[in-house]
Amino acid sequence: MPLWNIYHPVGAYTAEDKQEMATRITDIYTIPRFYVGILFHEQPKESFYMGAVARDDFVRIRLDHFARHISNDSEWTAGWLKKADAAIAPFVRDRGYHYELHVGETPRELWMIDSIRPPRPNSEAEKEWKLENRAAPFDPEKG
């Protein structure tokens, strides 16, 4: 699962903006859609400091990846980061916000959904999860 935590100034995004951003982010992935989580965290100016200066013009995005990991191939990684940047650009760069994005990776072995260890990537069981858009018990032979 990728989990996006988006820390942003109060009032930066409407409900419609959040829905559109969540859709754009989810669309960059080929994994089951329900794996993609996005949390929006409003930060008052007096609660967001950079270099000991209160900021209301900065968006901080932290991604945690569990389902897939970024490739060690620098070209692939650069391409993926460009896709992620393009997905959020209308909501950060194009609105004049300064922003930062980073990806942290958790070993797949330390991840569960509804008490189930997810199936292997691209396995038959994962394809079923993607089709059903939910976690469900599966035959270990298929996943």
Side-chain angles (χ1 to χ4, degrees):
M1 137 181 290
L3 177 61
W4 289 57
N5 283 279
I6 302 172
Y7 301 89
H8 59 86
V10 172
Y13 304 120
T14 65
E16 292 80 17
D17 290 336
K18 292 175 184 178
Q19 177 63 61
E20 185 180 343
M21 192 184 313
T23 298
R24 290 175 62 94
I25 289 167
T26 301
D27 287 348
I28 68 174
Y29 292 96
T30 59
I31 58 179
R33 290 181 74 79
F34 77 92
Y35 279 13
V36 184
I38 298 127
L39 301 172
F40 292 89
H41 307 276
E42 284 194 330
Q43 301 297 310
K45 182 176 181 176
E46 63 276 3
S47 293
F48 196 105
Y49 287 78
M50 302 222 25
V53 176
R55 300 283 297 265
D56 64 356
D57 64 345
F58 194 84
V59 176
R60 177 70 169 87
I61 302 171
R62 177 180 172 209
L63 287 76
D64 295 304
H65 276 192
F66 307 97
R68 302 289 194 278
H69 292 126
I70 301 296
S71 171
N72 287 332
D73 178 307
S74 61
E75 281 187 42
W76 186 94
T77 300
W80 190 89
L81 288 171
K82 282 183 183 179
K83 281 199 296 189
D85 191 58
I88 62 171
F91 305 96
V92 287
R93 185 183 62 227
D94 296 353
R95 294 185 183 192
Y97 288 112
H98 299 280
Y99 65 102
E100 182 177 322
L101 177 148
H102 102 272
V103 180
E105 296 184 328
T106 296
R108 187 175 169 74
E109 298 77 26
L110 299 176
W111 172 48
M112 292 190 329
I113 300 176
D114 295 336
S115 300
I116 303 168
R117 295 210 40 224
R120 291 184 313 272
N122 304 312
S123 65
E124 289 304 311
E126 188 186 66
K127 290 174 186 172
E128 288 177 23
W129 281 29
K130 188 174 184 178
L131 183 64
E132 294 177 16
N133 201 31
R134 68 179 184 87
F138 62 94
D139 179 348
E141 297 283 323
K142 295 170 82 177

